[in-house]
Amino acid sequence: MNSSVGIVKTEYAQFDVELQLESGRVLGPLTLAYETYGHLNSARSNAILVTHAWTGDAHAAGRHAESDRRPGWWDDMIGPGKVLDTNRYFVICSNVLGSCNGSTGPASINPRTGTPYNLSFPVLMVRDMVRAQALLIDQLGIDQLLTVIGGSMGAMQALEWGVHFPDRVRSIIPIAGCGRTSPMAIALNALARTAVYNDPLYKKGNYRPEHPPADGFALARAIGHISFLSDESMHMKFGRRFSARDGLFDFFGQFEVERYLEYNGRNFVDRFDTNSFLYLAKALDLYDVSWNFDSAEEALTHLNCPSLWFAFTSDWLYPPSQTEEVVDILRQLGKPVEYHLIDSAYGHDSFLVEPEKFTPKVSTFLDRLAS
């Protein structure tokens, strides 16, 4: 019977190190927020790392209190009897470096100045996030992960684990990911950035946390959120319905889809830091598996473990063709790769909305690894 992992607690790992970043700068000391579910076996061979998307966090399953209205963001996937079965696996989810949800990021205090980093925080790449995660896995006493699984930016992290830590992962499962960010995805993030920069409260990143650039940030989130959806899912959810509270010929009247984007953006402002949002967007823009290699082919020669890839038919942010570019190279290199194109109407968010469409294939893959 499928059930919840119950009440969970976020932990905080401290690292008194200076991490060498891809930019050439160093960052430290570091804090990473993380949660674990299930138990590590005596052989320490059943650990699975779950990697989150752009604005995700370490709280992937369960609840922090009985009164919580919603469980962790991937609760459908993690728990007793679920695909990431906590009766079998020790599941770890860490908040990425650069975030505002407990890990060191631009809102953190710079120990050298005693004030928040803000825009003095170094530009990060996904590879830097993965190197920080490796410190956590070391601290947990785990030599090798059974798999690294994640969607969107989480898929990028999974791929980086496979390429840069080939001896430390037995497999990777990238979902709705790509080998490099496309010009269109970068363009959408550029619009989001401009929305924030043009808000007078942004103050070149030196806004007061209690007075964030709410108007610009809400618009930036709305731009991003549109890219997570699809035309079909918008038709299903909103259609062309006009807001019942507005007059059809009221100049400022809104369609339901407009109200939704406004509501979603305003809520987001209350739970996420603006600079963290921009730094993680920059990391997404910079993502290219071939960075510091001569080509994607050279980078992917280092991926020796089995990989299981998923793309979704209606995803226009990281469309199937971008996933298939990586899969095709892996096949040409003779690497053990499996790929599934999942029919879903929910766009890029399909991996969160309809996990049941791909979870049986994940279970089969993991069973095969364990056999």
Side-chain angles (χ1 to χ4, degrees), residues 15 47 79 108-110 118 129 140 262 280 287 290 293 297 334 355:
F15 305 98
S108 302
I109 299 299
N110 182 342
N118 293 336
M129 301 172 190
L140 293 173
E262 187 177 271
L280 297 180
Y287 184 65
S290 68
F293 293 99
E297 286 79 4

Side-chain angles (χ1 to χ4, degrees), residues 121-143:
F121 196 74
V123 170
L124 297 173
M125 296 187 75
V126 173
R127 198 166 296 174
D128 299 318
M129 301 172 190
V130 167
R131 288 200 178 106
Q133 288 166 353
L135 296 174
L136 173 62
I137 299 307
D138 286 342
Q139 192 174 99
L140 293 173
I142 298 164
D143 291 330

Side-chain angles (χ1 to χ4, degrees), residues 224-243:
H225 197 70
I226 290 168
S227 71
F228 306 152
L229 306 176
S230 71
D231 183 50
E232 189 175 351
S233 67
M234 285 193 184
H235 272 288
M236 289 190 295
K237 192 175 180 78
F238 309 109
R240 286 182 45 83
R241 292 191 303 278
F242 206 75
S243 173

Side-chain angles (χ1 to χ4, degrees), residues 51-54 96 125-130 133 148-164 172-182 185 189 280-289 309 317-318 322 326 348:
T51 48
H52 68 73
W54 185 359
V96 296
M125 296 187 75
V126 173
R127 198 166 296 174
D128 299 318
M129 301 172 190
V130 167
Q133 288 166 353
V148 182
I149 179 172
S152 191
M153 190 177 82
M156 298 172 183
Q157 294 168 66
L159 181 54
E160 290 291 298
W161 264 100
V163 169
H164 294 279
I172 60 168
I173 307 176
I175 305 169
C178 61
R180 58 182 177 177
T181 307
S182 71
N189 285 346
L280 297 180
K282 177 64 74 173
L284 285 167
D285 290 350
L286 291 172
Y287 184 65
D288 186 343
V289 70
W309 295 76
L317 180 62
Y318 300 145
Q322 292 179 17
V326 182
H348 187 61

